[in-house]
Each structure stands twice: as C-alpha cells, then as structure tokens.
Amino acid sequence: MRIGLLTEGGYPYVSGDARLWCDRLVRGLGQHEFDIYALSRSERQEDEGWIQLPPQVSRVRTAPLWMAEDDGVVYGRRARRRFAEAYGELAAAVCEGPGSGSGVAAVGAGASGDAGAARGSVSSGDAGVGAAGVSGGVEADRFGSALYELAELARDEGGLIGALRSEGAVRALERACRAPGALRTARAVRVPDLLAVAAHFERALRPLSLDWYEGDGLDSVDLCHATAGGTAALPGLLARHFSGVPLLVTEYGVPLRAHYLASASVGDAPAARALLAAFHGRLTAEVYRAAALITPGNTHARRWQERCGADRAKLRTVYPGMEASRFAEVGEGAESSGCADPDTLVWVGRIEPAKDLMSLLHSFAEIRKDEPKTRLRIVGAPADGPDGATYLAHCKALAAQLFPDEAEGVHAVGDNPVSFEEIGGPEVPGLPEAYASGAVIVLSSVVEGFPISLVEAMFCGRATVSTDVGAVVEVIGGTGLVVPPRNPRALAEACVALLRDPERRERLGAAARARALELFTVEQNITAFHGIYLEIVSHSPVRHVLVDGAGEPLPFGVPAEAHVPGRWTEARLMPTGRPRWAAGSPVRATVPVPAGEGA
C-alpha cells in the first residue's frame, strides 16, 4: 500500500523529533511505499539536510513552518466574506466559554496558571489532566466546520497567508474575545496579545494553504500516518476531508501536554495563554475525532488522550521500538561478568531541570553516609540553549560544594566522587559502555514521557532506581525500584538497598532485560504498525481516480472490485494551486538522496 507519512520538525531531516523511529518504521516496512510530507521548524534544520532514505520512499515534499512569504492572493468581495465568516466562527469556537464548566474554560485556567501548577499536573501522571480536558459537542463541531471551510477557501482561492495576517483577522479575533459568553480570561485581552495570538494562529494554520491535497498528492495515498497530533496532523485532516483518506495518529509524547508546559513557563499574558491553550485543545479534539485509530506510546500518554477527547475504542498502545542489538554484548554478559564497578551509580540522559539532578546530588550525599566508597557518574550533554548549560554549571557547583575533593592520604591527590562526562570521550566511548560501568542505573526526573534511558539500561541487564513519573512504572513493570519524585531520602534508601545486595541486582537486571526484549524492540513496533495499516485500509479503503496525460479518467484504471456502493467510493477531481512560500526544492543532505523529490 501507499502510505503518506506526515511529520513536523523531524524525519527526514538530520535533526528533530521522531527521526529515529520514523526511519526504523519505513525501513522495516519495505513491502509498502512511503510518501513523506514534512513540515520543517527552522532554517537551520533545513540547512542540515536529510538523512539517507531507503528505496521504499518514493518522494518527499516539504514546507517550512518557520517562515511564509505573503502568497500575493487578493480576495474578491465574496472570498473576503467567506473568510470573515469562517475565521470568525473559528475564533468564536476558540474563545467560547463552556457554559457548563467543561473543557475549554479549564484549559484556559490551567494554561494561564503558574508554571509550578502545570508541571505538577504533568509529573503526577493524569492527576491534572482533567483540567486539560477539551469540551466536545457544539464547540468542537463549530471549530471543525470553520477549519474545513477555511481549507476549502484556501483551495479555491490559492492560499490563506495574506488573509490570516490581515487586520480583518485580528478584528474578528477581538470580536470573539469580547462577545457574550467568551472565556473570562479572554475578555481581558489587549491589542499586543491579540496580535501575538493571531500570528500564532497564522503559523499553525499554514498547512491549509499547501498544495498537497490534490493532483497526485495526499489524495493518492491509501493511508495518512501522522507522527504527532496538532499541526503535524493537519494535512491528514484535510486529506480525509477532501478525499476520504483514513488518518492514523501516533503520539509518543502528547503535543497538547507539551504546549501546556511551554505556555506556563513563558512570559505571555494570561489572556494570550488561555486563547492559545483553547486553540490547541480544539485542534487536538478534532484530530482525535477524525482519526481512524490513535496509537499512544504508553499508558501515560493514553490517559492524556482520553481526557482530551479521544475515543477509547480508537486507542491502541504501541510502544516505541528501540534498537536492542547495540546493547546485546553488555546485556548478555551481565550475569557472567558483572559490572565494571559494584560501587558505582550511573545516570544517563540530557542535562536539564526536568531531570532534577539537584535532588540526585543531595540523595548521593545521603548514600555516601552509608556507603562511603560509592561513586556517581553523570553521563550526558546539556540540553540545547543557554538554560541547559546554566543548569549543568549549577549542578557542578553543587557537587563541588557537597563533595569537596577527597584524598586517602596526606600526599594523595584529591578526587571528587561525582563525575560529569559526555558520550564519546575516552572513559565513555558509547552508551553501552556508560551503562556497563555501574552497578545501578538511576533516573531522578520530575517530568518524563517515555523513559528511553531506562529501557536502554534494561537492555543492558542493569538494575534500576527511578522516580514515579510519566511512563516509568509501566516500563519497569516490577523489574526495578520506584520512588516518589523530589524525595532524595527515598532515592538514597533504594540505591543503598541495591548496592548492598548484588544477588537482588542480578535478578532484577535479568528480569528487566527479558521484559525490554519482549516489549520495546524495533521488531515488535514494526509488526504492530503493519497490522494496524492493514486493519485501517481494510475498513476504510480509498478509491483513487486514475487519469491519463490529458487529465481524463483512465478507462479500466480501477478494478471492478472497487465499485462497491458507499461513501468511500465517491471522488472529486479538483483544481490545484500552490502557495509561493511552499515552492522550491528542499535542501538535501550531503549524501545523495535519489528518492527525494521537492515540493
């Protein structure tokens, strides 16, 4: 079958989200044909180019989300009226209060609250997800109808960029905010907030102006597979609306959850945060409603999706597939050879505040009181941006304060029991060596989605001590110790218990490796998606209208078996248009990509 793979800020670019699992999925399903439709997030990402693509990728079409030139489309009076009505309805659906205390009002309140509250709701699983619920019913239908009307206008007129940037769009948004029944927070919106929100809406809705939906585009695929919800799934929504192509949505993280966290930590006014949260909530609800199936990566993400409007009958948990072979040597030799140092704790990951290394260092101070020979290796690089480097500096300063350089004798050189290292150095040439160097692997996060480093430690047959956040308990499944987050004493007690009991470490490590090989390999991921593809296409087949060089329907181009009565057999041939901002060939990687084909 022919799959339209929809990505945002990731595959097939060298850097970005979901790059690895998308590449493994495409390579593992060589019997299918893939068309990649990618939205890029930055000029830097485009300059870095693509990874080398396998032969089953027939073409790649890209469009930038980070910039868009004015499409130069001038609307006539009728088109301006259509835009004003559709955009006004969209804005009204976003701004409208729930009336009965549901959904969007809670979203606005949660998004405009303090950052600590938002982080607390995420770190505690689904304790705060109820406040993030999205109302259904009238508001959801209103939003969806307005969204598709804007898409049809963009198809008929050749684009929406200029209209979305117009003064009329800002005024329509202002009227919706001031209307009776609007969100209480939205009524206090100021002009700078309106301009910021309108600009965000324009960026998020840029996929509506693309020429991906007709003329051997997404209308010609058998299935759209969006690698995330939100903006990444918008092309799939329109392919379903225009051509009846079924949509599959995979979320290994939940974009709506990420938006709540981000909006709580920026300096936007409460009114702007509430409007943006409501917009993303409505868009998420429409994506979940339209999807044939939704595949969360873990139960933690699944709970978020259910509380955000996803139908339970559509949800199928598919764990991320990870490459186990690179850890095979360490994992298979764990029982016979043991670890390099039975007194060493290892932490592996990206250094950022969400990993709560401060609590880990305070916990290690408690561990040293009971086990003075213990050492702690922190392996990882700081997160991108100045915040990551600043946090690493704070951690190093705290380590130096808690553990002054120690020496065994008067003439010996002092040595700090805490080391900060990066993968690729002489001490830690690779991830397997990092996990192999310690007796216990520690995870101290306060916010976590799917804990990749924990699964890697399980592949290596290592015992683990983790905090109870995100999908940690689901991943561990009883093969490691789990303690509450932000509790250094509990973390220390669990680590000491394993350091003093090598037989228990060995049993837990063996069980962890067996569990990881059963649930979290690339093979199980590919097998699951292959079955899901076949299931969706068998229930929602698409009839493609084949045409000759002159654009006329091709006789006998569709087999007789396809002529089964039903809505899915209907098809329309529609004119195409291309916005100028999406034109041009994509930047290629240094390695030639014969399968790539620009937009």
Side-chain angles (χ1 to χ4, degrees):
M1 70 183 71
R2 189 174 180 183
I3 310 297
L5 191 64
L6 313 177
T7 69
E8 178 194 356
Y11 192 75
Y13 293 102
V14 170
S15 62
D17 301 336
R19 175 177 55 85
L20 288 177
W21 83 261
C22 285
D23 188 56
R24 291 166 180 164
L25 176 69
V26 172
R27 293 180 184 277
L29 294 175
Q31 67 272 46
H32 299 308
E33 180 183 356
F34 284 86
D35 294 347
I36 311 299
Y37 292 81
L39 301 169
S40 64
R41 288 182 181 166
S42 67
E43 184 176 13
R44 175 183 176 183
Q45 185 177 55
E46 292 197 354
D47 290 341
E48 289 175 345
W50 303 344
I51 64 174
Q52 187 171 6
L53 300 176
Q56 53 264 42
V57 175
S58 59
R59 62 179 173 182
V60 179
R61 302 185 71 174
T62 65
L65 275 184
W66 50 275
M67 60 83 68
E69 297 179 0
D70 195 327
D71 48 27
V73 176
V74 179
Y75 286 178
R77 181 179 302 176
R78 180 176 299 177
R80 288 198 302 271
R81 186 182 303 116
R82 284 181 64 189
F83 174 78
E85 292 175 354
Y87 191 83
E89 280 291 295
L90 185 85
V94 169
C95 297
E96 188 170 8
S100 59
S102 61
V104 176
V107 170
S112 60
D114 59 71
R119 290 192 180 92
S121 68
V122 174
S123 63
S124 60
D126 63 343
V129 181
V134 180
S135 65
V138 176
E139 292 92 349
D141 292 341
R142 192 176 188 183
F143 180 88
S145 298
L147 182 70
Y148 298 129
E149 177 61 28
L150 287 173
E152 292 175 2
L153 177 62
R155 179 198 64 192
D156 297 340
E157 300 295 333
L160 279 177
I161 303 301
L164 291 171
R165 292 176 175 176
S166 67
E167 181 181 349
V170 179
R171 290 190 180 278
L173 184 58
E174 182 180 20
R175 285 193 297 271
C177 291
R178 312 292 189 208
L183 290 170
R184 182 185 304 173
T185 314
R187 297 174 195 168
V189 69
R190 301 171 302 168
V191 172
D193 302 329
L194 286 170
L195 295 174
V197 172
H200 184 94
F201 285 5
E202 182 270 319
R203 181 181 185 275
L205 296 176
R206 284 175 189 171
L208 272 62
S209 299
L210 295 172
D211 64 337
W212 289 357
Y213 312 111
E214 299 162 351
D216 197 29
L218 285 172
D219 60 321
S220 64
V221 303
D222 298 299
L223 167 69
C224 284
H225 185 177
T227 58
T231 303
L234 254 181
L237 283 182
L238 301 191
R240 178 183 180 275
H241 176 70
F242 289 134
S243 306
V245 178
L247 172 63
L248 169 65
V249 178
T250 295
E251 289 184 327
Y252 285 129
V254 182
L256 186 59
R257 165 183 174 269
H259 173 78
Y260 291 154
L261 278 176
S263 66
S265 60
V266 298
D268 291 338
R273 295 203 301 268
L275 290 172
L276 294 180
F279 172 81
H280 285 284
R282 300 287 190 220
L283 179 58
T284 297
E286 180 60 25
V287 169
Y288 290 166
R289 184 198 65 79
L293 286 178
I294 305 165
T295 54
N298 53 72
T299 302
H300 177 63
R302 181 177 182 135
R303 287 197 298 264
W304 269 86
Q305 291 170 338
E306 289 180 4
R307 303 299 286 271
C308 292
D311 183 355
R312 285 190 178 185
K314 294 182 177 182
L315 296 175
R316 307 283 180 83
T317 300
V318 179
Y319 293 118
M322 299 178 59
E323 191 63 55
S325 58
R326 62 188 301 200
F327 305 104
E329 183 177 353
V330 175
E332 292 171 358
E335 294 186 3
S336 58
S337 61
C339 59
D341 187 346
D343 298 317
T344 297
L345 303 175
V346 176
W347 180 95
V348 179
R350 183 174 56 186
I351 299 175
E352 57 185 349
K355 305 302 182 183
D356 199 18
L357 292 180
M358 297 291 189
S359 290
L360 176 60
L361 291 171
H362 284 291
S363 174
F364 186 59
E366 297 293 324
I367 295 171
R368 293 274 292 180
K369 294 178 183 178
D370 296 326
E371 297 291 332
K373 294 183 179 181
T374 308
R375 302 183 63 83
L376 172 63
R377 302 183 70 175
I378 296 177
V379 182
D384 295 336
D387 292 343
T390 301
Y391 187 72
L392 174 59
H394 289 166
C395 292
K396 289 182 175 180
L398 179 61
Q401 179 182 352
L402 292 175
F403 312 103
D405 287 347
E406 303 172 358
E408 294 182 358
V410 178
H411 303 290
V413 178
D415 183 25
N416 195 300
V418 179
S419 62
F420 292 84
E421 308 166 54
E422 291 192 26
I423 298 294
E427 297 287 333
V428 190
L431 276 174
E433 290 77 14
Y435 293 112
S437 66
V440 178
I441 309 301
V442 185
L443 184 143
S444 55
S445 302
V446 294
V447 175
E448 194 74 55
F450 186 85
I452 293 176
S453 62
L454 208 55
V455 176
E456 292 172 342
M458 294 168 71
F459 280 137
C460 292
R462 289 296 182 259
T464 60
V465 175
S466 314
T467 49
D468 185 5
V469 294
V472 165
V473 172
E474 181 182 2
V475 167
I476 287 295
T479 65
L481 303 187
V482 180
V483 301
R486 295 192 179 98
N487 192 330
R489 182 174 296 276
L491 189 65
E493 291 175 355
C495 290
V496 169
L498 290 184
L499 288 171
R500 290 177 173 176
D501 194 342
E503 293 183 358
R504 187 183 184 190
R505 292 201 309 265
E506 183 177 325
R507 290 196 306 270
L508 289 174
R513 175 169 167 77
R515 178 175 176 82
L517 291 174
E518 179 184 359
L519 297 178
F520 307 125
T521 62
V522 174
E523 292 74 18
Q524 67 82 23
N525 182 269
I526 291 173
T527 301
F529 276 117
H530 178 62
I532 288 172
Y533 284 177
L534 294 178
E535 178 183 352
I536 292 177
V537 172
S538 67
H539 286 88
S540 307
V542 181
R543 177 189 172 189
H544 301 300
V545 179
L546 303 181
V547 298
D548 57 20
E552 296 296 327
L554 190 65
F556 309 108
V558 179
E561 292 85 351
H563 295 277
V564 178
R567 180 189 57 79
W568 64 273
T569 62
E570 299 173 1
R572 289 189 295 173
L573 295 176
M574 303 173 182
T576 62
R578 173 176 298 185
R580 292 188 303 174
W581 63 272
S585 300
V587 179
R588 297 181 182 273
T590 53
V591 180
V593 187
E597 185 173 327

